[in-house]
Amino acid sequence: MVAGRSEAEEALIIWLISFVAEPMNNIVIDTNPLIYIYHNVPDFGKKYAVLLGKVGKRNALLIPKIVYGELSLAFEDEKELNDFLSDTGIIIGEMKPESYVIAAKRWDTYNRRRVLMCTKCGKKLGKLICKKCNSGIKIRQHILSDFLIGAYALQMKGRNLITNDGGYFSSYFPDLNIITASQQASS
């Protein structure tokens, strides 16, 4: 439960997401575009603000609770974060239990592959080799929370996800409609 909300308010939000927002497309937002907006990151912040303004007119904008947790590190306090979400019309949603299973399975696949990958285009990069012993060096670029965000987007009508990590999400969640600010700028 989010601080400052009663159980009844949380239940109402869940009901609204399930019944009111369902006829519209629900668009899930990854953490990074919101960080770019809040911190006014050159180029990205404005592009994502424009994108969210555009799609928010005809879609419900949602984040799973894991994004709320990640965002809490970027804000001065919880009130500031809640005000930001309220001002942008972003709703904190609930994940279905089966979404956790999907996330875990795809994360397991990712961990078994463990390759360097471009977050923008998804191209797999060459292996890193230790100069001393010639062993391959494996690097994880994504953590379980990234997979939870992707699985949450899968449970939504339209399966839309706004992110700046399009290559990664396209590789592990090919069934999502990935939306990036750079795609929108070129279309």
Side-chain angles (χ1 to χ4, degrees):
M1 184 164 35
V2 176
R5 287 193 190 145
S6 69
E7 285 186 44
E9 289 171 320
E10 287 282 322
L12 177 61
I13 289 170
I14 293 168
W15 179 84
L16 286 170
I17 291 169
S18 300
F19 296 101
V20 176
E22 194 59 27
M24 303 164 55
N25 274 330
N26 295 320
I27 298 184
V28 175
I29 309 165
D30 190 10
T31 308
N32 51 27
L34 299 174
I35 296 286
Y36 298 154
I37 292 168
Y38 179 71
H39 286 292
N40 200 23
V41 173
D43 296 325
F44 290 117
K46 184 175 181 178
K47 287 178 184 176
Y48 278 106
V50 169
L51 174 60
L52 291 183
K54 179 180 164 185
V55 300
K57 290 179 183 175
R58 59 189 187 285
N59 301 283
L61 302 176
L62 306 169
I63 59 170
K65 289 181 178 180
I66 191 71
V67 169
Y68 184 88
E70 290 178 334
L71 287 173
S72 72
L73 299 174
F75 287 79
E76 188 69 30
D77 56 36
E78 196 172 347
K79 181 187 180 324
E80 187 178 26
L81 171 55
N82 290 333
D83 289 346
F84 174 80
L85 295 175
S86 178
D87 291 346
T88 54
I90 296 170
I91 301 165
I92 304 166
E94 292 288 330
M95 283 184 65
K96 297 176 183 175
E98 56 269 21
S99 294
Y100 290 97
V101 174
I102 291 167
K105 287 179 179 178
R106 293 190 189 196
W107 188 59
D108 183 54
T109 299
Y110 169 79
N111 279 323
R112 281 187 274 118
R113 290 181 187 166
R114 282 196 187 172
V115 295
L116 288 175
M117 181 184 295
C118 175
T119 59
K120 186 173 181 181
C121 72
K123 179 178 174 21
K124 292 178 183 158
L125 306 174
K127 291 186 178 184
L128 295 177
I129 305 292
C130 175
K131 290 180 180 181
K132 182 177 180 184
C133 69
N134 286 329
S135 295
I137 299 170
K138 298 188 181 216
I139 298 175
R140 277 191 290 178
Q141 295 172 297
H142 292 278
I143 56 176
L144 184 56
S145 63
D146 295 323
F147 290 84
L148 292 169
I149 294 163
Y152 178 71
L154 281 178
Q155 78 183 35
M156 297 299 156
K157 178 182 178 185
R159 296 182 166 191
N160 297 304
L161 175 67
I162 294 176
T163 183
N164 200 49
D165 289 336
Y168 150 72
F169 279 106
S170 294
S171 295
Y172 290 93
F173 293 90
D175 30 7
L176 287 179
N177 176 33
I178 307 299
I179 305 166
T180 66
S182 58
Q183 288 172 329
Q184 294 300 304
S186 62
S187 58

